[in-house]
Amino acid sequence: MSAASVLSSVYEGTRESNGVIQALLTDLYQITMAYAYWKSGKMDDRAIFDLFFRRNPFQGEFTLFAGLEECVKLLQNFRFSESDISYLRKVLPPHVEDEFFQYLSNMTANAVTLSAVDEGTVVFPKVPMITIEGPLAVVQLLETPLLNLINYASLVATNAMRFRLAAGQDKVLLEFGLRRAQGPDGGLSASRYCYMGGFDGTSNVLAGKMFGIPVKGTHAHAFVTSYRDLREVKCRNLFRKDNLEKVDFIDLCLVWQQKLSSILNFLVDQVSEGELAAFICYAQAFPDQMLALIDTYDVIKSGLPNFCTVAMALHELGYKPRGIRLDSGDLSYLSREVRKVFKLVANSFDVPWFERLTIVASNDINEDTIHSLNTQGHDIDCFGIGTHLVTCQKQPALGCVFKLVEVNDKPRMKLSEDVEKVTIPGRKKAYRLYGHDGTALVDLMLQPSEDPPSLGQRFLCRHPTMESKRAYVVPAEVQPLHHEYWKNGEVIRDLPNLTELRKKASKSLQTLRQDHKRTLNPTPYKVSVSSNLYTFIHDLWLESTPIGELC
């Protein structure tokens, strides 16, 4: 069965699990470690792993957490099938004992507990997005699929949120990335998480069906170039919207072409007749949804006059076209010229709505393009964004890691000469502290035995590794960041639908100060630990670091 057919069958319902996500979707070294744990009798040691990232993507200072629902579904369906076991017998060395394969065949995630930040929440480096506790071998086997599910989802959702910030809340953002995405699953994931991050719709029809995302689209240059002249318009007629009177639509368009030629100052014999024919045919197919791609030949000399011709003919028959799309050229200049023409037509024929027709731009747009357009000035209402959005060209990976922090109630710590890679050991509780205006001030991690900060009381927050960085915080609100989602083989917390997650993401972003969200040199958001946890980290650090000897 092909990847596309697998995806279409397993995604028949929006809340079903993707069949590709399974226990065998892992790296071989996870299996070999599991065997070594089993062989040495450590497979049931109680282990805790944290999943987090070390640096925000896109040179920014926030990340949107996404992918949690798929992680929970992974736990629900985590098991090795008979065919999985048969395959592993072939790829593992022949000396691997039969009892290990029997152990794998009986394995589930029922003894695992998953705690996580709520999906759709803005998150920051070092704070675990997910904490997994359970038998060492089982949790180890979850590492790769969990990272796979979280890394891209959070990256592309964050990318979408940054595009939304760049464009502003008043612009429509459409995801057009399916043809450029990394395979069918990447395309579906991109559509889902871009919508969570603030996009308004997608061109991806399957994603629309599966996730309830609004589906949008017009036509391509191929549609325009497939017509040569008006003789190729096989049906000349269009019914009036109000009384269904049949009208020769080609003749009506030619009448409007003459009316507009002097007002818009174009030559009738210079516009592309094939383009006009294409627009007429598209208008006949979608008279109330007509949105034409006008840059196939020449925007100003042909595409725009031909659109206005057909649009005014539609208007005379009681229909309202939607607007135009620009897919090349100087988008700032062209969008403003198009708007001028729309206003001129509106004023000349007393059609006020005409000047408000939608202008869509879709020319390989990235975040920097939108910022540049904002600086130059433009009249674009809607951006269709593909390659730079779904492939995250600015940064191809988030870099989440999955680190062991405790075994059998004993903390574990990874050391490194790169201080950024030093892990925060042991069980932790995390809170977000807010100011009186509802602004997030700091994320704070504490040891399990510690009480959270009290409202209105001063609390010392310390940088996890830098001794001099510390500050007192007086919170007006304290929110726990982690909640249990999976325990004893059951989902124990509601999983919001995609629309709810989209609203949650927008609300979460609004709690950040503007300087954390700006594009150029954003202020880092503070992630801190309590004094007790700080001391614990550094004592264990010294205890775990070998002492050198000078000779």
Side-chain angles (χ1 to χ4, degrees), residues 51-62:
L51 190 154
F52 61 95
F53 60 93
R54 298 186 176 105
R55 188 175 299 177
N56 288 299
F58 312 117
Q59 298 180 329
E61 289 298 339
F62 67 86

Side-chain angles (χ1 to χ4, degrees), residues 13-26:
T14 61
R15 308 289 281 187
E16 292 182 15
S17 177
N18 182 344
V20 175
I21 302 167
Q22 53 184 281
L24 211 61
L25 184 68
T26 191

